Amino acid sequence: VEDRHVLADFAPDCLQQDFTKVTPSAYLTGISPLAEAEHLVRASVPNAAIRQQLQMGESEPSLVILRRTWSQGRPVTLARLHHPGSRYELTGHYRPRTNANRTNGDVVELEKLQQ
């Protein structure tokens, strides 16, 4: 479960996107390259609505990731992502793309992610 705040002037068409076809992350990196990201990871016992959406037991902890991203020298998004603790692992590796290997077609469709 994700809730995300995006600066309106950074992505003015964000709310018109069909996020069943493209992830929010793929859409946002498609309109502007990610320059910097910060992650805070913590365990939490989610509320009833989150537990229901994630099909979690009442006492099962979730892994919560708070992520801030910057583009063009300014913070542009803040996201909170809830993952069932028993079904999620976190690892990280980030290397910015150079202009030489970036294309306009870098938006990843959900169908490709689900394979």
Side-chain angles (χ1 to χ4, degrees):
V1 173
E2 173 182 330
D3 60 281
R4 185 185 296 250
H5 304 272
V6 179
L7 283 180
D9 69 340
F10 171 69
D13 297 327
C14 187
L15 295 178
Q16 284 72 48
Q17 302 309 304
D18 182 352
F19 291 119
T20 64
K21 298 193 183 293
V22 63
T23 66
S25 293
Y27 164 71
L28 292 167
T29 56
I31 63 171
S32 183
L34 173 65
E36 189 175 345
E38 173 184 79
H39 292 92
L40 175 93
V41 181
R42 67 170 60 128
S44 177
V45 176
N47 63 32
I50 298 291
R51 284 195 316 267
Q52 181 180 10
Q53 287 181 305
L54 295 176
Q55 300 175 355
M56 296 174 61
E58 192 169 317
S59 62
E60 183 180 353
S62 67
L63 187 62
V64 179
I65 301 171
L66 299 173
R67 179 173 59 212
R68 291 191 307 168
T69 59
W70 286 258
S71 183
Q72 301 172 357
R74 65 185 182 138
V76 293
T77 69
L78 171 65
R80 180 175 42 208
L81 305 102
H82 297 266
H83 304 278
S86 64
R87 292 177 269 154
Y88 194 81
E89 294 180 335
L90 178 67
T91 186
H93 179 96
Y94 175 74
R95 181 175 40 171
R97 293 180 170 202
T98 64
N99 288 337
N101 64 3
R102 180 168 172 75
T103 69
N104 289 336
D106 280 343
V107 176
V108 179
E109 296 178 21
L110 279 178
E111 291 175 354
K112 293 177 186 173
L113 290 177
Q114 294 173 349
Q115 293 179 359

